Structure formats: C-alpha cells, structure tokens
Amino acid sequence: QVQLVQSGSELKKPGASVKVSCKASGYTFTSYAMNWVRQAPGQGLEWMGWINTNTGNPTYAQGFTGRFVFSLDTSVSTAYLQISSLKAEDTAVYYCASQTTIDFDYWGQGTLVTVSS
Amino acid sequence: NFMLTQPHSVSESPGKTVTISCTGSSGSIASNYVQWYQQRPGSAPTTVIYEDNQRPSGVPDRFSGSIDSSSNSASLTISGLKTEDEADYYCQSYDSSNSWVFGGGTKLTVL
C-alpha cells in the first residue's frame, strides 16, 4: 500500500535551517508529483508548491520563494523540504502529499516545525 | 489572486443534512475541478470528493459534491450526519496561474 512517512518534529531557533523528509513506498516514486502543504497552528491548508519527481523541477507557490527549497533523492524514494533563515511565523505542520490523479490522494503524517528562541 | 471562500463553521444534528459552500473569487469555478478534503484533529487531510462530484472508494455515499455556476460555487453535502463526520472540510481547486488553491476551511460540528 502507498505510504508517505515524514521525519519527526523539529525545534529550531530563528535564523536556523531545517530539512523535512518524506519517504514514499508502495508505488513508483518518479511516476507522480509531490506537493508540499503548510498548516500553521489553528489555521487552514496552504499549498507551498510541488516537485516533478521525474525531472526534479520544482514549482513554488507565491510566498514560498527564496527560503524554501524542494529536492529529491530518487534512489531512496524521498522528497525533501528545506527552509532556511527560519522565522517564528514558519512554525507550522508541513505535509507532503502525492498526486496520482487530480487530488492529493496520499499524505504524509505531517512534520511539526517549531521556531522559537 | 484567486480565492476560495468557505463559511468558517457550520453545525447540525445527527441524522440531518448539511451543505458546505465554496465560492470562487473570480473566473468560473466550473472551469477547473473542485476537490473536498476532510481533516480530523491531529490527522492529515483525506479526500472525500474529487473532480467536483466523484467519491473515492471507501467514502460513503452520504457525501456528495456539486457545482453551481450561477453562484460560482461548489458545495459539499453530507446527509445522514454522524458524529464521526465532525471535522474540518477544505475545498481545493486550480487557478489560472497553475497553482492549487485551498479554501479557508469549514469546521463542522455535529451536535
């Protein structure tokens, strides 16, 4: 069965960087797009962008350029989200979500990133 | 920027029917498919409707989706409400700049 397993919670200081991983299993990793979605505490879902798992080409949504980087290691079927120069407002749960059809049909369990001094 | 607007919250009694709306800010909501996701506290979202009105396997037929072009809105209707339906619901669609957009979410209370 398809599974996306994300790395564990992170506590970081402002200005630091964090790298969240999302390991896929149960399907051919390079066949389907991988999206990233942010959910700030008590807030709604916000699409951050996606990465073409076949070509490695990332597309970033408005508001997620510059400090946010999507990457892949196809040898281990894993997608990564790196955030640099962390700010308090980056505190959120970050989800990866694969897209085998039109909807985001498989989601990781989410990774809580807390930015606090 | 394209936005999807949902009511902040709705509530209804068990066994009743509730409808959650999702209104597009511009263009025609019928131009791109609308999806609906259910998110229970502490869990990742799951799809309850895709392509406007299609249910994934395993989603009961109490859940249905529709599009109303006259109001530029999509709707999620849940009939025969159960306490387990209590959750946040998000609509999602695509905008003209090739970006996915989520609605702000609706908290459904079944009381």
Side-chain angles (χ1 to χ4, degrees):
Chain A
Q1 74 285 18
V2 174
Q3 267 195 309
L4 299 179
V5 179
Q6 297 184 225
S7 48
S9 298
E10 301 267 10
L11 173 60
K12 296 290 185 180
K13 294 189 183 307
S17 296
V18 69
K19 194 169 187 177
V20 176
S21 67
C22 169
K23 182 171 177 59
S25 61
Y27 71 99
T28 302
F29 180 69
T30 53
S31 294
Y32 304 114
M34 186 68 76
N35 294 270
W36 289 93
V37 177
R38 181 171 79 176
Q39 187 168 39
Q43 301 301 307
L45 305 173
E46 192 174 13
W47 183 68
M48 301 174 66
W50 69 287
I51 185 164
N52 184 318
T53 54
N54 192 38
T55 65
N57 183 48
T59 298
Y60 300 97
Q62 266 190 338
F64 293 100
T65 55
R67 298 188 299 116
F68 301 84
V69 176
F70 306 148
S71 61
L72 305 170
D73 184 342
T74 56
S75 68
V76 289
S77 300
T78 300
Y80 300 94
L81 162 65
Q82 183 160 1
I83 311 171
S84 59
S85 303
L86 282 163
K87 307 174 183 181
E89 51 263 42
D90 294 322
T91 295
V93 174
Y94 293 85
Y95 292 102
C96 58
S98 67
Q99 189 179 348
T100 68
T101 55
I102 191 168
D103 62 316
F104 294 4
D105 40 2
Y106 298 101
W107 294 67
Q109 82 275 22
T111 296
L112 173 62
V113 175
T114 303
V115 184
S116 174
S117 54
Chain B
N1 287 353
F2 180 67
M3 294 173 55
L4 295 170
T5 300
Q6 300 180 231
H8 182 68
S9 63
V10 296
S11 62
E12 191 50 272
S13 303
K16 300 291 190 181
T17 296
V18 70
T19 297
I20 298 171
S21 62
C22 170
T23 302
S25 62
S26 61
S28 171
I29 200 164
S31 298
N32 294 293
Y33 285 127
V34 174
Q35 281 65 242
W36 290 90
Y37 298 89
Q38 177 191 70
Q39 186 181 32
R40 295 191 173 104
S43 296
T46 60
T47 307
V48 292
I49 294 290
Y50 67 97
E51 291 182 0
D52 296 341
N53 55 20
Q54 301 299 302
R55 276 178 290 105
S57 61
V59 174
D61 60 6
R62 302 185 295 105
F63 289 80
S64 63
S66 63
I67 299 291
D68 181 354
S69 296
S70 65
S71 60
N72 209 36
S73 294
S75 293
L76 171 69
T77 298
I78 310 170
S79 60
L81 275 169
K82 301 184 176 185
T83 54
E84 68 204 46
D85 298 331
E86 191 162 287
D88 294 327
Y89 291 86
Y90 295 90
C91 59
Q92 178 207 39
S93 190
Y94 210 57
D95 76 5
S96 57
S97 63
N98 295 334
S99 296
W100 287 106
V101 177
F102 287 98
T106 298
K107 180 177 179 60
L108 170 62
T109 302
V110 182
L111 36 65

